[in-house]
């Protein structure tokens, strides 16, 4: 069985064939989707991920976290880092404010002071279970000793709170996007802190968006813009100018913001500058994400697959079925809507749908199939061109044949007419029946000759062989001639021809052709009008034109045919069913001849209410080949 081409014209094919074409297109789209899925688009995806985070409007926090910074001003005031004694004093005050937890996230062992002061501070820390010392280290199982500081801080067990960055995986741009929840079963500090408010996070299974990675459990951070967490400078705590009650029931994280060590800072989805966010603000973001349990949730692979495949199918469908401009508008519209939905889902529910692959698929599939479309279209227009060429050759042959035949018919008809004239002349005596028969022969041969003349004129037009023989003449003279010639025909149907001819200046025209135009209009008016009606023929000058009108009280022309009656061989459906004879060439020739004179011909008519044909000829016919 021959499979249909996916580019086949769907509209003209049968239903099963259409379904087969759609199915093949879908399979092609799936193959493209599978290929695109192989491309590593992490960099693009990370950029789109960051953009989603950055554009989040609602930036609410749990309000449970306070930051305290040791800044360069602190160093100035304390003439160095605050020493152990200063730290003890502040810790006393802080503890008195009853916070839920206090976290030191800097190397406390580097603080200066006497051994006594250091011991006292260490004692104060280790005797309070809600005071934590953070370390960036995550020792292996069995190496937990490294969590203990040297004497005199050896009673303190530090808690791991490392910073993660995408160095090897995902974007490889050193930006922090994820956090460690546990390593080899050991819980990380943000989890412990968050559990003080939200105990369910103690079990990593309850943490939204958690995933396992080697020996770790991780989740993405629901970042807040830098500066989202309230902060104080250590100096203000030291000089007592701070309202201690603000720390009640809060997690207070103390750290450094000295611009001296890269380890104090992280790169964030908001910014890649080295001091984009302090380390303790990162701890705040991690802890706050867990308190709210709002880690972004990466959608399962199958969802991303469905999106990728749907967009590929749509793109292939667009490129092979729609006009290029419309197709591009719909494609861009779809990709835009897809992006808008992805952003909205991220902002509202923290759902992270992979965007890079579907967006790329939309454009790649579209542009990949455009050449195929062009080939098909070229082939089609070549076929049309060939068919057209053949048709015009056939048309030419037909016209030539008709003209030749008509020409050859003219001589025998002229002979018939001559003979009937002889018979009808007075020398021959005929019985009434014979005279009637000969009259009919004469009438029929007249009709035949008229018909042949029209065909010959038509042939001339087709071969562009009509020549104008221009003369200066009063069109009224021609009109009167035409009316006189048709009077007999009108009288038979008791039709009255009324003429209202204004005196006119003579104009340049080919009298024979104009006679044919006007004869045709008057003859049609008589032919198509019922007995006992009137025909009005008028002529007048209007601005730079001569206007001739022939109005009748005949059947009129249906509105849907008004545009067609000047087409060759057209006959109204009203007259086709009657006995009235005609070739459908008269008005075609009239229009052609009028336009040769740079004139216009048109009709106004209401079905059943008569017709008015108007011919307008310019007084000055510049450009006519006289
Ligand atoms: P035909 O030889 O059929 O008269 P024409 O080209 O002169 O051919 O006219 C085309 C068609 O226009 C006619 O067949 C007829 O249907 C319609 N038509 C032309 N003149 C009139 C008229 N005065 N009243 C009604 N219909 C007309």
């Amino acid at each position: 069985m021959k499979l249909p081409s996916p580019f086949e014209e769907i509209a003209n094919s049968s239903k099963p064939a259409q379904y087969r074409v759609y199915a093949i297109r879908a399979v092609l789209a799936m193959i493209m989707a599978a290929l695109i899925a192989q491309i590593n688009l992490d960099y693009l995806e990370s950029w789109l991920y960051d953009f989603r985070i950055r554009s989040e409007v609602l930036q609410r926090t749990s309000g449970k976290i306070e930051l305290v910074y040791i800044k360069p001003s602190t160093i100035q005031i304390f003439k160095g880092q605050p020493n152990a004694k200063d730290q003890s004093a502040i810790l006393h005050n802080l503890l008195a404010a009853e916070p839920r937890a206090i976290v030191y996230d800097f190397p406390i062992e580097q603080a200066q002071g006497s051994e006594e002061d250091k011991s006292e501070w260490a004692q104060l820390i280790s005797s309070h279970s809600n005071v934590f010392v953070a370390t960036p280290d995550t020792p292996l199982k069995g190496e937990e000793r490294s969590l203990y500081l040297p004497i005199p801080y050896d009673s303190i067990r530090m808690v791991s709170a490392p910073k993660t960055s995408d160095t090897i995986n995902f974007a490889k741009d050193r930006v922090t996007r994820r956090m460690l929840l546990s390593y080899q079963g050991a819980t990380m500090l943000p989890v412990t802190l968050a559990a003080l408010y939200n105990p369910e996070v103690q079990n990593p299974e309850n943490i939204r968006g958690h995933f396992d990675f080697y020996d770790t459990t991780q989740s993405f951070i629901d970042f807040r813009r830098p500066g989202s967490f309230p902060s104080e400078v250590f100096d203000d705590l030291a000089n007592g100018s701070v309202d201690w009650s603000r720390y009640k029931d809060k997690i207070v994280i103390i750290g450094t913001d000295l611009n001296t060590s890269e380890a104090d800072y992280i790169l964030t989805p908001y910014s890649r500058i080295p001091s984009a966010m302090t380390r303790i603000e990162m701890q705040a973001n991690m802890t706050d994400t867990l308190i709210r349990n709002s880690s972004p949730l990466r959608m399962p692979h199958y969802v991303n697959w469905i999106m990728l495949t749907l967009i590929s199918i749509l793109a292939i469908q667009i490129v092979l079925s729609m006009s290029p401009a419309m197709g591009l508008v719909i494609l861009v519209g779809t990709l835009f809507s897809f992006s808008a939905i992805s952003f909205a889902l991220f902002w509202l529910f923290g759902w992270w749908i992979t965007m890079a692959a579907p967006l790329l698929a939309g454009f790649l599939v579209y542009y990949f199939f455009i050449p195929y479309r062009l080939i098909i279209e070229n082939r089609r227009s070549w076929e049309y061109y060939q068919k057209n060429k053949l048709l015009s050759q056939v048309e030419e042959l037909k016209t030539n044949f008709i003209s030749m035949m008509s020409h050859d018919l003219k001589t025998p008809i002229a002979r018939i007419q001559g003979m009937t004239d002889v018979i009808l002349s007075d020398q021959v005596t005929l019985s009434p029946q014979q005279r009637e028969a000969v009259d009919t022969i004469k009438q029929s041969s007249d009709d035949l000759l008229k018909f042949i003349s029209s065909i010959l004129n038509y042939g001339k037009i087709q071969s562009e062989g009509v020549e104008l023989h221009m003369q200066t003449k009063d069109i009224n003279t021609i009109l009167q001639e035409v009316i006189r010639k048709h009077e007999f025909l009108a009288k038979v149907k008791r039709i009255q021809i009324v003429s209202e001819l204004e005196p006119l200046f003579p104009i340049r025209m080919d009298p024979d052709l104009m006679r044919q135009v006007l004869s045709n209009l008057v003859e049609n008016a008589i032919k198509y009008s019922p007995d006992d009606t009137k025909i009005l023929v008028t002529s007048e000058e209007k601005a730079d034109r001569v206007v001739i009108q022939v109005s009748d009280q005949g059947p009129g022309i249906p509105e849907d045919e008004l545009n067609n009656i000047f087409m060759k061989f057209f006959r109204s459906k009203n007259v086709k069913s009657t006995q009235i004879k005609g070739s459908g060439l008269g008005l075609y020739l009239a229009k052609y001849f009028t336009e040769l004179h740079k004139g216009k011909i048109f009709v106004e008519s209401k079905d059943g209410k008569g017709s008015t044909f108007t011919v307008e000829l310019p007084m000055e016919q510049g450009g006519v080949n006289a």
Side-chain angles (χ1 to χ4, degrees):
M1 187 187 75
K2 187 178 167 289
L3 281 174
S5 149
F7 314 109
E8 254 159 50
E9 195 88 63
I10 291 199
N12 304 332
S13 40
S14 65
K15 273 262 149 64
Q18 282 181 20
Y19 291 141
R20 237 175 300 148
V21 173
Y22 282 131
I24 289 182
R25 287 183 183 180
V27 171
L28 271 178
M30 278 191 239
I31 294 173
M32 284 293 285
L35 288 175
I36 289 165
Q38 306 309 310
I39 306 172
N40 185 343
L41 297 170
D42 282 349
Y43 190 78
L44 191 59
E45 187 59 38
S46 67
W47 189 86
L48 287 163
Y49 176 80
D50 293 354
F51 192 50
R52 270 174 277 188
I53 289 195
R54 247 179 279 160
S55 55
E56 256 178 319
V57 185
L58 289 179
Q59 292 271 332
R60 264 198 303 262
T61 63
S62 68
K64 305 289 186 206
I65 300 173
E66 287 276 348
L67 305 177
V68 175
Y69 282 116
I70 295 170
K71 294 209 172 209
S73 64
T74 321
I75 307 295
Q76 240 179 344
I77 292 169
F78 286 89
K79 310 258 181 290
Q81 289 262 5
N83 63 28
K85 193 172 175 166
D86 303 322
Q87 293 284 12
S88 285
I90 295 225
L91 184 55
H92 267 297
N93 287 337
L94 271 175
L95 285 167
E98 295 178 1
R100 280 245 179 143
I102 298 169
V103 180
Y104 288 108
D105 191 13
F106 63 93
I108 60 165
E109 69 277 15
Q110 288 172 11
Q112 301 296 311
S114 65
E115 285 308 295
E116 212 180 351
D117 291 341
K118 287 182 186 172
S119 298
E120 197 191 320
W121 186 28
Q123 187 57 35
L124 200 55
I125 292 172
S126 56
S127 62
H128 285 89
S129 61
N130 62 342
V131 181
F132 301 89
V133 178
T135 170
D137 299 334
T138 45
L140 285 167
K141 235 184 201 153
E143 282 189 333
E144 289 87 350
R145 270 265 6 120
S146 65
L147 290 175
Y148 289 90
L149 289 168
I151 297 170
Y153 300 105
D154 53 337
S155 59
I156 299 169
R157 189 184 200 271
M158 294 189 293
V159 191
S160 295
K163 87 171 175 190
T164 61
S165 55
D166 291 330
T167 316
I168 302 166
N169 289 305
F170 201 44
K172 303 187 183 109
D173 54 4
R174 292 174 36 242
V175 169
T176 298
R177 295 185 179 87
R178 309 162 277 122
M179 61 178 148
L180 241 57
L181 303 170
S182 69
Y183 175 59
Q184 291 192 329
T187 307
M188 299 292 118
L189 180 61
V191 181
T192 311
L193 293 175
L196 297 172
Y197 295 94
N198 186 3
E200 68 167 6
V201 297
Q202 248 156 353
N203 180 357
E205 290 302 314
N206 294 335
I207 296 176
R208 198 183 122 109
H210 71 87
F211 58 93
D212 291 332
F213 191 67
Y214 295 102
D215 267 352
T216 67
T217 309
Q218 308 190 4
S219 75
F220 281 86
I221 304 171
D222 185 15
F223 264 107
R224 295 293 177 249
R225 228 168 260 127
S228 295
F229 296 94
S231 66
E232 268 302 335
V233 192
F234 193 86
D235 333 354
D236 288 342
L237 268 68
N239 64 28
S241 67
V242 66
D243 172 13
W244 294 96
S245 68
R246 68 188 274 182
Y247 297 120
K248 186 167 169 55
D249 223 21
K250 300 285 172 64
I251 295 171
V252 186
I253 308 176
I254 307 168
T256 45
D257 180 11
L258 294 170
N259 275 321
T260 50
S261 161
E262 210 188 306
D264 278 355
Y265 301 95
I266 60 160
L267 311 186
T268 71
Y270 293 100
S271 167
R272 267 88 166 140
I273 59 165
S275 61
M277 187 179 271
T278 61
R279 216 183 110 82
I280 61 168
E281 194 157 8
M282 170 195 76
Q283 304 290 13
N285 268 298
M286 291 174 174
T287 309
D288 207 59
T289 300
L290 292 170
I291 292 175
R292 288 180 284 115
N293 201 1
S294 62
S295 281
L297 196 60
R298 203 171 185 158
M299 288 291 106
H301 277 311
Y302 73 86
V303 175
N304 296 327
W305 239 107
I306 291 173
M307 289 296 170
L308 176 61
T309 314
L310 281 183
I311 288 191
S312 304
I313 292 178
L314 187 91
I316 215 171
Q317 196 56 36
I318 285 173
V319 80
L320 298 179
S321 308
M322 291 185 165
S323 74
M326 188 63 173
L328 202 61
V329 167
I330 294 195
L331 181 75
V332 170
T334 308
L335 296 184
F336 187 80
S337 313
F338 167 71
S339 307
I341 292 171
S342 305
F343 270 74
L345 290 177
F346 191 84
W347 296 334
L348 295 174
F349 309 111
W351 290 353
W352 170 13
I353 293 178
T354 307
M355 284 175 71
L359 290 182
L360 190 76
F363 284 109
L364 269 189
V365 172
Y366 187 81
Y367 285 105
F368 188 81
F369 281 99
I370 274 184
Y372 288 95
R373 184 190 165 129
L374 288 180
I375 293 170
I376 299 305
E377 278 181 357
N378 265 347
R379 203 179 63 197
R380 248 183 239 149
S381 52
W382 174 247
E383 280 165 9
Y384 284 140
Y385 169 74
Q386 291 293 339
K387 241 187 240 166
N388 240 337
K389 213 165 112 183
L390 197 72
L391 276 180
S392 38
Q393 278 168 354
V394 170
E395 180 76 18
E396 203 182 312
L397 278 176
K398 208 174 70 187
T399 314
N400 286 348
F401 171 74
I402 292 175
S403 303
M404 250 165 57
M405 208 186 64
S406 310
H407 194 264
D408 288 352
L409 279 175
K410 252 182 138 176
T411 326
I413 291 171
R415 245 184 261 141
I416 296 173
Q417 281 181 322
M419 290 303 128
T420 44
D421 284 345
V422 171
I423 299 172
L424 285 173
S425 67
D426 293 342
Q427 284 96 336
V428 183
T429 36
L430 295 169
S431 70
Q433 284 101 329
Q434 284 170 327
R435 182 162 290 277
E436 200 184 327
V438 178
D439 268 344
T440 313
I441 294 174
K442 168 104 172 86
Q443 186 57 45
S444 301
S445 55
D446 278 353
D447 285 351
L448 199 56
L449 194 65
K450 228 183 279 165
F451 182 68
I452 286 169
S453 306
S454 299
I455 296 270
L456 280 173
N457 279 329
Y458 169 68
K460 271 193 209 155
I461 290 176
Q462 294 303 315
S463 57
E464 289 167 12
V466 181
E467 278 176 29
L468 283 173
H469 302 284
M470 300 299 261
Q471 292 174 23
T472 305
K473 217 169 156 105
D474 181 355
I475 195 105
N476 282 342
T477 328
I478 298 179
L479 268 175
Q480 280 154 352
E481 239 173 71
V482 168
I483 294 170
R484 202 173 320 119
K485 212 177 111 200
H486 287 86
E487 249 158 12
F488 177 74
L489 205 61
K491 211 176 274 169
V492 176
K493 293 176 83 176
R494 293 185 302 284
I495 289 175
Q496 190 193 349
I497 303 181
V498 180
S499 56
E500 290 174 7
L501 311 179
E502 254 185 25
L504 302 171
F505 284 111
I507 54 171
R508 300 277 296 165
M509 70 177 113
D510 179 323
D512 280 344
L513 296 189
M514 280 327 292
R515 193 173 297 114
Q516 278 195 52
V517 172
L518 300 172
S519 282
N520 184 258
L521 297 185
V522 174
E523 192 185 318
N524 276 354
I526 299 171
K527 208 161 68 170
Y528 294 113
S529 293
D531 294 358
D532 298 307
T533 50
K534 249 194 215 170
I535 292 171
L536 177 65
V537 181
T538 63
S539 70
E540 61 180 327
E541 267 175 23
K542 261 193 197 163
D544 52 351
R545 286 159 299 144
V546 169
V547 181
I548 302 128
Q549 286 192 313
V550 179
S551 314
D552 62 44
Q553 297 171 327
I557 296 152
E559 203 179 328
D560 58 333
E561 291 183 345
L562 278 176
N563 286 334
N564 299 336
I565 60 162
F566 294 100
M567 276 166 34
K568 53 189 164 193
F569 301 115
F570 181 84
R571 301 207 71 209
S572 162
K573 56 181 182 262
N574 281 356
V575 305
K576 269 198 230 161
S577 53
T578 65
Q579 293 282 315
I580 307 170
K581 282 178 282 171
S583 60
L585 275 175
L587 287 179
Y588 169 73
L589 295 174
K591 183 171 157 70
Y592 190 85
F593 293 156
T594 310
E595 284 173 0
L596 273 185
H597 285 80
K598 305 250 179 286
K600 267 196 281 181
I601 181 166
F602 51 89
V603 62
E604 290 155 290
S605 176
K606 280 225 170 87
D607 204 7
K609 296 241 171 74
S611 326
T612 299
F613 282 85
T614 307
V615 175
E616 290 184 359
L617 294 176
M619 308 257 254
E620 275 302 320
Q621 289 160 33
V624 172
N625 32 339

